[in-house]
Amino acid sequence: MTTPALLPLSGRRIPPLNLGPPSFPHHRATLRLSEKFILLLILSAFITLCFGAFFFLPDSSKHKRFDLGLEDVLIPHVDAGKGAKNPGVFLIHGPDEHRHREEEERLRNKIRADHEKALEEAKEKLRKSREEIRAEIQTEKNKVVQEMKIKQNKPLPPVPIPNLVGISGGDPEDSDIREKREKIKEMMKHAWDNYRTYGWGHNELRPIARKGHSPNIFGSSQMGATIVDALDTLYIMGLHAEFLDGQRWIEDNLDFSVNSEVSVFEVNIRFIGGLLAAYYLSGEEIFKIKAVQLAEKLLPAFNTPTGIPWAMVNLKSGVGRNWGWASAGSSILAEFGTLHMEFMHLSYLTGDLIYYKKVMHIRKLLQKMDRPNGLYPNYLNPRTGRWGQYHTSVGGLGDSFYEYLLKAWLMSDKTDHEARKMYDDAIEAIEKHLIKKSRGGLVFIGEWKNGHLEKKMGHLACFAGGMFALGADGSRTDKAGHYLELGAEIARTCHESYDRTALKLGPESFKFDGAVEAVAVRQAEKYYILRPEVIETYWYLWRFTHDPRYRQWGWEAALAIEKYCRVSGGFSGVKDVYSSTPTHDDVQQSFFLAETLKYLYLLFSGDDLLPLEHWVFNTEAHPLPVLHLANTTLSAEHGHLAEAAGHLMFVGSVPLLPIQTVQRDGSGCSGDPALQQRQAVEASCGINPGCIRGTEEEWELTVAG
Ligand code: DMJ
């Protein structure tokens, strides 16, 4: 039986394959179906190969083909000379001549640019100091280690969760206050719902354009900054469905392996602070895991010759750099000095000392430096370890550095005396050189610029009223009353800066010059971008004094925000607080949900919601629990801590000690005399038995503290 030919075989006969004795010993003019199939396969494989070779081979091999003379076939002919109007100018024939010419040009430019870039890089390398090259190598190494860690996705070891007091409640008894609190909650809902509808996943919202907004501090990726920043506010307001929605987005979408250059400071205070607070409030592990993953991505920023981190870091490459505008390539005091709270919690939660070491190193370095008039300048060069321009402020560029010194002490259950001393010293110098009273009797904080006091106070500096009140208790001899009073004076001045505007909202900065008091003079300083600092100060003063004026002032601000900043798509900043017909800036800042609305809500809540003896708010208003571990660590009833290897504990008045898995009989400790000495100190602290892990350097730090 012959099989009908499927393909015309041009009369050629193909002999049958000799695979054994043929069942029908005869010659055939046609092929069997299976044979045809095999032939078809071979043919199609050949065709695929030919096409594949052309389309999928690397560019360079295509170029080689051109070199072999195929360019005439594959690209239109390029002709110079004779017929050309301008000799030396090439004429390209063919319908796509323009496109091809551009393509060629692009290719040439790319090669030229790559070449120049490589040259520049080589030159740059030669210019670098040994330390810098070493730091770069370290960055690379760390990156590899971190990537491995992340890949392993190890669950974090369990640690005892600090005492979490007052994570809900605070219902006011007074019906008027209850109503006000409800109103603030409604404002939060409006801000969140609109972000949910128009900006979901973007970093912030443009409430008028009704679309996402991405400020450069969060890099080029959509990292949902508003979601992360708002979570704890949603939680304490009891907006649990919204909280869950945010949590799901984080679980499914929040990814830090992105090629994006972010601000180390902003990402720390908003993301790490926000995630840690969400973790402590809700107990959901995912927040802790994400916080740690992100923190690992920030670590390369510390690989500078001095260990003072860069302002920005690329989350993927780990390459860091500073803001172009910062004095002589400096890092900023308020940025590298506002990592302590979050990093201490990271070390506590992971048992990894690296975070603790990074921030303690910064502290040690600052302690060693001379300070003009006892003041910390805002700029420090991370390459040389020298101060940049002598500019000191309690507002932008300096603010939260002072705040974190105080809060490091509070967060350590008041055992980190070193931080408290640094805070007290700094505040004394600030009071002496920067705090003045205006002719009209308003106390303000000026800025020190190259040996001269500028009588200008920023909105940002208004947070200091709350800081002075918070630091009053525990201040040097007989000064508690004084600092509470100073806090109240700053609150009054900042309230005046609001009250003297058309909108009853404060400008970005205001002057005290002759007749002008607490008023912005330059147009560029008249905006209000939904900032929280003044309301933050009202809240702290309310908690410490219960003076009703603070609730009244807070309510005035809330009404003004509602009236002038609310739009149907959310809340927006305004460009001029002195104009009764405001223009909106069309940005709903993430800190509006994290801070402004949270402080307002707390202002109209009872003190039992997030009590200040148990919680310390980071500079983005994310509450972190006080680590009350001093007398409980390793005691019999806290045996579980002893089992959690490599975790941190507070020992009496010293900062943090790393501990090894503790053996109750003391066994397992090294015979090293230094370790034995540590054990002796440990025993004298009432922690017995146990042994301590860590290098000499850490130990010295601990004892010195
Ligand atoms: C917030 O991100 C933080 O409060 C920071 O410390 C300073 N400024 C903004 C809000 O104004």
Side-chain angles (χ1 to χ4, degrees):
M1 197 177 93
T2 52
T3 317
L6 292 175
L7 288 170
L9 292 171
S10 312
R12 263 205 249 165
R13 291 182 181 194
I14 298 178
L17 292 171
N18 192 10
L19 298 172
S23 37
F24 299 100
H26 65 269
H27 286 106
R28 293 175 293 134
T30 51
L31 298 168
R32 283 195 201 139
L33 188 61
S34 58
E35 287 165 357
K36 283 179 187 166
F37 184 67
I38 290 169
L39 201 70
L40 199 66
L41 263 181
I42 293 170
L43 240 162
S44 58
F46 179 71
I47 292 167
T48 314
L49 204 73
C50 290
F51 275 92
F54 179 70
F55 287 110
F56 301 115
L57 274 181
D59 279 357
S60 55
S61 46
K62 281 183 213 166
H63 300 149
K64 270 186 209 137
R65 287 169 58 100
F66 295 157
D67 291 342
L68 291 172
L70 289 174
E71 61 269 58
D72 282 0
V73 183
L74 298 167
I75 59 168
H77 183 64
V78 176
D79 194 22
K82 279 191 186 170
K85 270 187 196 159
N86 306 318
V89 174
F90 291 108
L91 280 180
I92 304 172
H93 308 294
D96 290 336
E97 55 188 56
H98 188 62
R99 189 168 50 83
H100 286 298
R101 192 172 167 174
E102 274 182 351
E103 219 162 83
E104 265 198 313
E105 193 53 34
R106 218 178 23 245
L107 207 73
R108 255 186 238 117
N109 286 343
K110 190 177 174 309
I111 294 168
R112 206 174 297 132
D114 284 352
H115 186 68
E116 273 163 18
K117 198 171 152 219
L119 259 176
E120 254 324 294
E121 275 173 10
K123 273 196 223 154
E124 179 66 14
K125 273 253 155 12
L126 287 174
R127 269 200 294 271
K128 279 186 182 156
S129 70
R130 202 189 255 198
E131 285 75 30
E132 283 175 284
I133 294 174
R134 216 176 275 153
E136 272 177 15
I137 295 170
Q138 194 53 43
T139 307
E140 282 306 310
K141 276 191 194 164
N142 289 354
K143 234 173 70 191
V144 174
V145 173
Q146 281 160 30
E147 267 157 22
M148 277 168 64
K149 268 198 214 164
I150 291 170
K151 266 189 206 136
Q152 286 168 355
N153 217 358
K154 269 202 220 143
L156 295 166
V159 283
I161 293 297
N163 204 5
L164 302 177
V165 180
I167 61 173
S168 57
D171 302 333
E173 280 165 22
D174 185 317
S175 63
D176 172 52
I177 302 297
R178 237 191 346 261
E179 259 172 46
K180 287 179 171 141
R181 189 166 96 139
E182 273 309 301
K183 176 64 200 166
I184 306 298
K185 185 170 167 179
E186 186 278 326
M187 290 166 79
M188 178 71 183
K189 213 36 204 120
H190 181 69
W192 174 265
D193 287 348
N194 278 290
Y195 167 75
R196 178 71 178 87
T197 310
Y198 304 115
W200 195 233
H202 287 267
N203 288 319
E204 289 178 332
L205 168 71
R206 285 200 179 279
I208 297 170
R210 299 187 179 211
K211 61 179 190 182
H213 170 62
S214 278
N216 65 350
I217 51 173
F218 305 122
S220 50
S221 288
Q222 290 190 24
M223 300 214 301
T226 297
I227 303 177
V228 182
D229 229 6
L231 278 176
D232 53 7
T233 309
L234 293 171
Y235 190 94
I236 64 165
M237 289 184 176
L239 293 167
H240 294 304
E242 288 79 358
F243 179 89
L244 212 66
D245 204 10
Q247 179 179 338
R248 279 202 205 104
W249 186 89
I250 287 171
E251 279 163 355
D252 299 342
N253 302 291
L254 190 55
D255 174 22
F256 305 116
S257 317
V258 285
N259 184 6
S260 190
E261 192 180 53
V262 301
S263 153
V264 174
F265 159 77
E266 296 289 359
V267 161
N268 176 58
I269 65 168
R270 303 194 201 202
F271 281 79
I272 297 189
L275 289 164
L276 289 177
Y279 166 66
Y280 282 119
L281 293 176
S282 69
E284 293 292 341
E285 285 283 310
I286 183 69
F287 298 126
K288 179 168 72 169
I289 291 170
K290 292 283 178 188
V292 175
Q293 282 178 355
L294 176 56
E296 283 176 348
K297 294 277 184 184
L298 296 187
L299 287 178
F302 291 81
N303 295 327
T304 61
T306 55
I308 294 292
W310 299 116
M312 285 171 284
V313 71
N314 182 302
L315 293 177
K316 190 163 205 154
S317 67
V319 173
R321 69 181 174 103
N322 276 343
W323 304 111
W325 49 262
S327 163
S330 291
S331 299
I332 310 288
L333 183 69
E335 297 197 331
F336 65 77
T338 309
L339 303 165
H340 192 97
M341 292 181 66
E342 296 80 5
F343 275 43
M344 289 305 243
H345 271 276
L346 286 165
S347 274
Y348 174 72
L349 290 172
T350 60
D352 189 343
L353 276 179
I354 189 148
Y355 308 105
Y356 158 77
K357 283 185 186 169
K358 297 290 179 202
V359 287
M360 288 308 273
H361 176 82
I362 296 175
R363 184 191 282 183
K364 292 289 156 193
L365 196 131
L366 288 175
Q367 277 180 323
K368 281 190 210 141
M369 296 191 61
D370 281 340
R371 297 195 302 281
N373 291 324
L375 297 169
Y376 288 90
N378 289 337
Y379 299 106
L380 179 59
N381 190 314
R383 294 177 202 264
T384 61
R386 291 203 201 99
W387 297 121
Q389 194 192 354
Y390 278 7
H391 174 200
T392 299
S393 92
V394 181
L397 307 179
D399 48 8
S400 42
F401 162 69
Y402 306 100
E403 177 185 353
Y404 269 36
L405 290 176
L406 174 64
K407 290 181 175 177
W409 173 71
L410 289 167
M411 207 184 76
S412 71
D413 200 12
K414 303 185 180 171
T415 60
D416 186 351
H417 297 300
E418 185 177 72
R420 176 77 216 204
K421 182 181 178 312
M422 286 174 79
Y423 170 77
D424 287 335
D425 290 347
I427 293 309
E428 274 175 22
I430 284 168
E431 217 187 331
K432 190 163 164 199
H433 299 286
L434 307 186
I435 298 186
K436 301 282 170 220
K437 198 176 239 179
S438 72
R439 282 204 214 141
L442 294 177
V443 175
F444 66 94
I445 313 176
E447 299 194 2
W448 193 259
K449 277 194 179 155
N450 298 319
H452 145 89
L453 184 77
E454 205 175 326
K455 294 181 180 169
K456 185 172 99 176
M457 183 169 172
H459 190 288
L460 289 165
C462 287
F463 92 96
M467 177 177 76
F468 292 141
L470 184 65
D473 184 29
S475 59
R476 287 177 182 154
T477 20
D478 294 335
K479 285 200 134 178
H482 167 74
Y483 283 118
L484 196 57
E485 186 49 38
L486 182 59
E489 289 291 346
I490 299 294
R492 186 165 82 92
T493 301
C494 292
H495 175 253
E496 284 303 314
S497 79
Y498 274 49
D499 209 39
R500 296 177 186 194
T501 70
L503 305 188
K504 304 291 173 201
L505 290 168
E508 182 65 3
S509 75
F510 40 94
K511 288 231 163 175
F512 295 86
D513 246 350
V516 175
E517 297 215 339
V519 171
V521 181
R522 291 174 47 212
Q523 190 58 35
E525 293 168 344
K526 295 182 177 171
Y527 61 88
Y528 172 68
I529 55 167
L530 304 169
R531 285 198 191 279
E533 292 76 16
V534 176
I535 295 165
E536 172 182 353
T537 276
Y538 295 160
W539 174 61
Y540 278 108
L541 277 143
W542 163 256
R543 278 272 169 115
F544 290 114
T545 65
H546 283 171
D547 184 333
R549 87 173 68 172
Y550 298 114
R551 276 188 164 167
Q552 186 199 318
W553 290 352
W555 188 240
E556 283 169 13
L559 289 180
I561 291 173
E562 178 71 0
K563 186 164 176 193
Y564 298 111
C565 301
R566 186 173 180 138
V567 292
S568 58
F571 287 88
S572 160
V574 289
K575 291 185 180 166
D576 184 350
V577 290
Y578 299 96
S579 153
S580 44
T581 48
T583 320
H584 292 114
D585 68 6
D586 198 13
V587 179
Q588 179 175 285
Q589 306 275 349
S590 80
F591 54 66
F592 179 63
L593 294 87
E595 298 191 74
T596 313
L597 292 173
K598 185 187 283 131
Y599 286 130
L600 278 169
Y601 187 78
L602 288 169
L603 184 62
F604 299 107
S605 297
D607 296 358
D608 54 326
L609 181 59
L610 298 172
L612 287 170
E613 310 83 66
H614 295 277
W615 295 91
V616 186
F617 288 72
N618 88 340
T619 192
E620 187 77 2
H622 296 305
L624 299 175
V626 170
L627 296 170
H628 292 283
L629 297 174
N631 303 315
T632 54
T633 313
L634 303 185
S635 65
E637 71 272 24
H638 290 82
H640 55 281
L641 182 59
E643 280 146 31
H647 286 294
L648 302 169
M649 61 181 183
F650 286 96
V651 179
S653 64
V654 296
L656 286 165
L657 283 175
I659 59 165
Q660 211 175 33
T661 307
V662 175
Q663 312 294 319
R664 291 196 173 276
D665 62 358
S667 65
C669 294
S670 152
D672 172 348
L675 280 179
Q676 281 164 2
Q677 186 208 345
R678 294 175 206 186
Q679 286 162 45
V681 177
E682 220 189 314
S684 73
C685 293
I687 301 153
N688 190 32
C691 53
I692 297 175
R693 186 186 67 172
T695 63
E696 276 314 304
E697 192 202 356
E698 284 156 18
W699 173 240
E700 275 166 26
L701 269 182
T702 309
V703 172

